[in-house]
Amino acid sequence: MRTDWTNNHFWKTNGWIIVASCFVIMFAMIFQESLYGIFEEHNYVSIHIIMESIIITSAFTIATQAWLMFPHVLSNYRLWLGALFFSIGILEVFHMLSYKGMPFFLSESSPYKATWFYMITRLTQGAGLLIIILSEERRVGPKWRWFAYGAASLYALIWSVIIFYPNHLLPELVIDGVGTTLLKNSLQYTAIFIQLVCIFFLVRKLKVKANQTLHIMLLVASVYLIIGDSMFTSYRSVYDITNFLGHLFQLAGFYFLMRAFYHTSVEEPFQKQKEAQEQLAYMAYHDELTKLPNGRYFTEKLENAVMYDHEKRHALLLLDIDRFKNINESLGHAFGDLVLQSVAERLRHTLPSAIFLGRMGGDEFTILFKSIKNEDEVTALCRQIQEVMEEPFQIQHLLLKVTLNIGIAIYPEDGNNSVELLKHTHIAMAEAQREVMRYKFYHSSMDQQFLERLVLEQDLHQALANQELFVVYQPQVDLRTGEMLALEALIRWNHPKKGLISPGQFIPIAEETGLIIPIGEWVLREACRQLKEWHDSGIPSIGVSVNLSTKQFFQQNLVDTIENILHETELSPQYLELEITESMTMDVKNATAILRDLKELGVRIAVDDFGTGYSSLNYLKELPIDRLKIDRSFVMDIGVNNREAAIISLIVSIAIHLNIEVIAEGVENIEQLQYLQMQKCHQVQGYYFSPPITADKLVDKLVEFQERNSTNPTVIVTR
Ligand code: C2E
Ligand code: MG
Ligand code: MG
């Protein structure tokens, strides 16, 4: 809540009134006798009119505010308060008009009428306020406004008829020159008592933090009204200073009642509306997930820079998270969101405040680096970003390494408006993925490549139907027997115009577009069919490994699809191996469930490119894995880099330890082969034996292998 009971804005703005009133009371008490009649009769009437006018204005202000606000809030609280003060306003008018010394009215003015009007007003106000304080706030229909105010008018009119009735229907309350009667004082004490009950409940309500300002104001108003009441019990005639002070305190009480109501019906709703508007404006310009400026905000900022600082150079950077789709697909969107939040947080902390960071949507972040002196400044920033990204993110139970690709476009060289600049950062970003440092400045020559990729994407849609895709097979050799044990099925695309296109180029496109699902299924069917054909033609029982992409792995009906293919092609499941990657196993629970189902079919599971992914050795013992494939990058470094060679040795020993088979990919020369043999790696695959070859050539290769093995079965290191 905005208000604090001890240190609050209210006391600061209203404290002086309270202090001043204390002085007034003291002053009046001390000089009561000497102040008697200080305002002469004619002056006193005017003073009374002024004070009453303020009280009446306060009452009608509350009533009007409530009347106007009610349709918006439809709260019983407001309605009753409004109606209550409407009747009080009317009664106060009659009180003022019938006051002793007033020049005119229906009948002669007298203390009888004025005092009765005052007394009824006072009791109505006290009791009404108490009822309102005690009632629960709830919604009421709009038609009740007329009813409530109508009833309030009627109530006031009934009292005026009774009081104005020529024969006094009610007993006297004040005897002029003598003072207040017992009845008057009793009624006044009743009012005090009611007001004290009000205070009691208000103090209780103050403990509940809600609506504090309202309750404090009502409390202060009550105190003033009580002081006023006590003054009204002790005057001899209206010229007594206590009568004047009674009015003054009643006035102060009404002032605070008005403030209280003003606060709840005008200030507070206005404040809330303002906050809501601010919130709305914030939401329109910020991303909900990361709280960073969103695309709209960023684009406006960029456009402003281009428009108002057009003589300067500005750098626009577009950053995306490498393989974010994989993270989302394998670990779920909630996890993906956490990654985005963590990356946003780290970027926010890294970047100087003068550099504007935003989130474009998805896994894309944008940076506006204004008024750059040269490209080196931007390069330094990119390096700094990549450096802070080196440290892995701890997200839930996973330690995740996040790589960012950064595309850069410079204003004005690379575009003179936000659309063009953003487009060019996208193009540069696609290129950045192929860079070691993962950032790239846009260059016009990139447009062509980008366009080519778009065309490729279009063509890929037809490739399957046009039978442009085919499968090649690469032998996998067992180092213990020298036999060709299995084959890896690798897809190829024979583009009608561009010729052979490598999977490294089109598999990412297929994954992005979702085409990988039908394409992957086709490869599986084709490989199984081919293998069965070979088996049937008398070729010894070799196996086939087929690569699965992340999308395929998490596809709903993967197990059914594979089961159907095995059924259709009549291939025994033990000959089919599915290659998954480490990243697919990050969500161990989910991955285990999928792998168990696959294992139930009887197929084998291998982990491809082992050692390059989200290395967590934990999952190895939990997942039903048959084979590890040591990534080519490690094999490549044998004889060059001892560290990489040591990793191979480690992977082999882990595999042996866990009773899993291990195969090394990308074996190109005899040194690599010998090293792997020395490490007791089970199998190898690579150009040293054979590149991936078409099905018809493979048969010859197989024969070649068989012949060599039969002549010299122990020496397998010669081709
Ligand atoms: P991968 O599964 O790790 O396949 C091994 C890659 O290494 C193949 O590249 C292969 O031709 C290459 N390779 C094998 N031996 C050597 C060697 O001695 N030296 C060198 N430099 N390279 C060697 P390819 O065929 O270009 O495939 C690249 C990647 O594309 C594959 O990596 C795999 O991830 C993906 N891929 C290929 N076919 C399919 C497919 O049918 N489905 C899916 N989802 N992905 C596929
Ligand atoms: Mg593979
Ligand atoms: Mg591989």
Side-chain angles (χ1 to χ4, degrees):
M1 279 292 101
R2 280 196 313 126
T3 321
D4 183 278
W5 173 221
T6 46
N7 174 23
N8 102 17
H9 173 71
F10 170 80
W11 297 116
K12 280 186 201 144
T13 46
N14 299 290
W16 67 271
I17 302 181
I18 295 160
V19 174
S21 26
C22 292
F23 277 109
V24 170
I25 297 172
M26 272 164 52
F27 186 76
M29 290 297 140
I30 299 166
F31 301 104
Q32 189 174 8
E33 277 310 310
S34 43
L35 286 171
Y36 180 82
I38 184 166
F39 305 114
E40 287 161 22
E41 190 174 340
H42 58 281
N43 292 330
Y44 196 82
V45 172
S46 317
I47 288 167
H48 184 256
I49 291 174
I50 292 168
M51 289 194 295
E52 279 302 329
S53 305
I54 297 172
I55 292 174
I56 291 164
T57 313
S58 301
F60 280 128
T61 306
I62 296 173
T64 322
Q65 276 173 6
W67 176 269
L68 295 175
M69 281 305 291
F70 179 71
H72 304 286
V73 288
L74 295 178
S75 130
N76 62 332
Y77 217 82
R78 307 273 160 89
L79 182 64
W80 293 352
L81 217 72
L84 173 68
F85 280 89
F86 190 58
S87 64
I88 288 172
I90 299 172
L91 290 167
E92 285 284 354
V93 169
F94 288 135
H95 163 76
M96 182 181 77
L97 293 177
S98 60
Y99 205 73
K100 185 170 180 247
M102 282 295 278
F104 74 98
F105 205 61
L106 294 168
S107 57
E108 196 199 332
S109 57
S110 75
Y112 166 83
K113 289 172 204 149
T115 318
W116 266 111
F117 273 122
Y118 159 73
M119 214 54 247
I120 296 302
T121 311
R122 181 67 190 92
L123 290 168
T124 306
Q125 178 256 305
L129 208 61
L130 182 62
I131 292 169
I132 291 166
I133 289 169
L134 290 181
S135 62
E136 285 291 311
E137 190 162 6
R138 63 184 161 77
R139 268 175 81 86
V140 282
K143 65 173 191 300
W144 286 97
R145 183 167 66 160
W146 284 99
F147 178 78
Y149 279 67
S153 320
L154 195 66
Y155 171 81
L157 283 175
I158 290 172
W159 278 114
S160 25
V161 169
I162 296 172
I163 296 167
F164 279 125
Y165 199 76
N167 303 327
H168 289 186
L169 297 175
L170 303 166
E172 291 292 337
L173 294 178
V174 186
I175 297 163
D176 216 9
V178 179
T180 50
T181 63
L182 180 66
L183 176 66
K184 161 85 186 336
N185 288 353
S186 313
L187 291 176
Q188 202 80 57
Y189 288 126
T190 310
I192 293 178
F193 175 73
I194 295 172
Q195 207 67 50
L196 282 171
V197 178
C198 282
I199 291 183
F200 172 77
F201 285 108
L202 282 170
V203 169
R204 275 197 14 181
K205 284 204 169 190
L206 267 179
K207 294 200 179 109
V208 188
K209 288 269 174 186
N211 255 337
Q212 275 209 341
T213 308
L214 167 73
H215 293 139
I216 292 175
M217 284 195 202
L218 288 178
L219 199 72
V220 174
S222 301
V223 172
Y224 277 115
L225 289 171
I226 288 172
I227 300 171
D229 287 329
S230 60
M231 299 273 170
F232 281 133
T233 56
S234 60
Y235 62 92
R236 263 173 294 156
S237 82
V238 289
Y239 309 123
D240 212 317
I241 190 70
T242 46
N243 183 288
F244 169 75
L245 287 178
H247 276 96
L248 204 62
F249 280 100
Q250 196 195 0
L251 187 152
F254 267 74
Y255 166 76
F256 279 107
L257 285 178
M258 186 184 71
R259 282 287 310 272
F261 198 65
Y262 178 77
H263 172 78
T264 47
S265 61
V266 180
E267 258 176 12
E268 214 175 55
F270 179 73
Q271 190 65 29
K272 275 191 190 143
Q273 198 183 357
K274 213 174 110 195
E275 279 165 17
Q277 271 169 354
E278 280 168 5
Q279 178 70 16
L280 219 66
Y282 181 86
M283 270 159 58
Y285 280 94
H286 288 84
D287 164 50
E288 211 183 320
L289 185 70
T290 59
K291 306 283 177 275
L292 287 178
N294 61 12
R296 178 189 290 136
Y297 190 0
F298 190 89
T299 315
E300 273 182 25
K301 194 95 180 166
L302 178 63
E303 274 163 6
N304 281 342
V306 166
M307 196 162 3
Y308 300 112
D309 284 331
H310 53 84
E311 70 290 350
K312 298 208 176 101
R313 294 177 80 209
H314 310 297
L316 173 64
L317 284 73
L318 184 71
L319 302 81
D320 93 338
I321 301 176
D322 200 47
R323 295 199 285 179
F324 184 71
K325 278 210 172 72
N326 276 358
I327 297 175
N328 251 351
E329 274 158 20
S330 54
L331 293 166
H333 287 263
F335 189 90
D337 284 353
L338 290 178
V339 174
L340 288 170
Q341 281 173 330
S342 308
V343 170
E345 195 56 31
R346 196 173 286 183
L347 285 174
R348 206 192 336 242
H349 276 109
T350 309
L351 298 174
S353 55
I355 288 178
F356 193 68
L357 170 70
R359 180 181 171 214
M360 270 292 152
D363 63 338
E364 288 180 351
F365 295 94
T366 33
I367 288 174
L368 177 61
F369 190 174
K370 284 184 19 177
S371 314
I372 54 159
K373 292 187 199 79
N374 51 43
E375 273 82 351
D376 293 348
E377 259 184 313
V378 186
T379 308
L381 183 73
C382 290
R383 282 178 194 268
Q384 191 193 351
I385 292 171
Q386 299 298 30
E387 231 164 70
V388 295
M389 287 294 151
E390 279 295 309
E391 192 189 327
F393 288 86
Q394 174 79 53
I395 295 166
Q396 289 177 345
H397 58 287
L398 285 176
L399 211 57
L400 195 74
K401 171 87 176 66
V402 172
T403 309
L404 296 180
N405 301 308
I406 311 176
I408 309 150
I410 308 280
Y411 169 85
E413 297 95 300
D414 301 335
N416 51 19
N417 59 57
S418 63
V419 177
E420 215 163 83
L421 286 165
L422 273 167
K423 190 178 105 188
H424 290 162
T425 52
H426 267 106
I427 294 175
M429 192 176 69
E431 289 291 310
Q433 292 171 14
R434 286 188 270 276
E435 295 292 306
V436 184
M437 286 306 291
R438 301 269 186 168
Y439 62 82
K440 191 91 187 163
F441 284 86
Y442 168 79
H443 188 271
S444 56
S445 65
M446 290 175 186
D447 287 351
Q448 190 54 33
Q449 294 158 12
F450 194 73
L451 210 71
E452 271 173 22
R453 193 187 142 95
L454 276 185
V455 172
L456 216 59
E457 189 181 315
Q458 286 304 312
D459 294 347
L460 191 60
H461 281 272
Q462 271 81 50
L464 195 58
N466 294 351
Q467 299 186 328
E468 290 161 18
L469 301 176
F470 63 100
V471 180
V472 288
Y473 299 89
Q474 187 174 33
Q476 297 175 344
V477 181
D478 196 300
L479 286 181
R480 293 160 296 193
T481 60
E483 275 174 25
M484 192 194 293
L485 183 85
L487 308 161
E488 178 171 5
L490 293 157
I491 194 170
R492 293 291 177 267
W493 180 12
N494 192 8
H495 191 279
K497 289 198 199 102
K498 298 192 175 76
L500 219 53
I501 297 173
S502 84
Q505 243 179 306
F506 71 87
I507 291 285
I509 300 177
E511 281 187 339
E512 256 168 53
T513 52
L515 279 170
I516 193 69
I517 302 281
I519 291 177
E521 192 180 327
W522 176 81
V523 174
L524 267 165
R525 185 172 283 110
E526 179 58 20
C528 291
R529 187 201 59 75
Q530 182 64 69
L531 203 71
K532 177 68 181 161
E533 196 184 297
W534 282 329
H535 286 182
D536 289 348
S537 68
I539 284 172
S541 307
I542 52 171
V544 68
S545 302
V546 179
N547 294 285
L548 285 189
S549 83
T550 313
K551 248 210 186 85
Q552 263 181 298
F553 185 66
F554 290 104
Q555 138 197 18
Q556 283 298 320
N557 54 354
L558 175 72
V559 179
D560 290 342
T561 309
I562 293 175
E563 192 175 13
N564 283 342
I565 290 171
L566 287 170
H567 183 76
E568 267 174 45
T569 56
E570 294 174 6
L571 181 74
S572 295
Q574 77 265 25
Y575 294 115
L576 176 64
E577 183 177 67
L578 301 170
E579 291 190 8
I580 61 166
T581 55
E582 281 169 279
S583 61
M584 300 180 197
T585 63
M586 282 193 298
D587 183 355
V588 179
K589 236 169 119 190
N590 192 14
T592 313
I594 299 172
L595 290 178
R596 290 253 152 83
D597 288 348
L598 288 172
K599 284 298 296 177
E600 258 173 40
L601 291 180
V603 299
R604 289 161 52 88
I605 308 291
V607 179
D608 202 359
D609 306 337
F610 187 77
T612 57
Y614 306 89
S615 302
S616 157
L617 293 175
N618 268 347
Y619 70 88
L620 275 184
K621 53 181 191 300
E622 284 174 44
L623 299 174
I625 292 165
D626 300 284
R627 191 149 75 143
L628 294 184
K629 294 191 81 176
I630 302 176
D631 190 62
R632 205 176 69 208
S633 58
F634 300 110
V635 177
M636 217 158 63
D637 280 352
I638 293 175
V640 183
N641 186 336
N642 286 339
R643 206 178 87 105
E644 308 290 283
I647 292 176
I648 294 185
S649 154
L650 188 74
I651 297 176
V652 173
S653 64
I654 289 172
I656 293 172
H657 189 76
L658 291 173
N659 213 8
I660 301 175
E661 276 179 62
V662 56
I663 177 169
E665 308 183 277
V667 178
E668 291 184 355
N669 57 47
I670 191 138
E671 291 82 34
Q672 293 167 345
L673 184 68
Q674 278 170 337
Y675 181 81
L676 289 161
Q677 232 176 347
M678 213 166 67
Q679 298 302 324
K680 302 221 161 19
C681 182
H682 301 143
Q683 292 117 23
V684 286
Q685 170 184 346
Y687 292 172
Y688 182 74
F689 292 103
S690 166
I693 46 179
T694 50
D696 48 345
K697 287 204 187 109
L698 196 108
V699 181
D700 300 336
K701 196 82 187 168
L702 213 81
V703 174
E704 186 190 310
F705 255 81
Q706 275 171 343
E707 280 170 2
R708 198 182 52 213
N709 261 352
S710 60
T711 51
N712 193 352
T714 49
V715 185
I716 59 133
V717 290
T718 50
R719 271 177 282 187

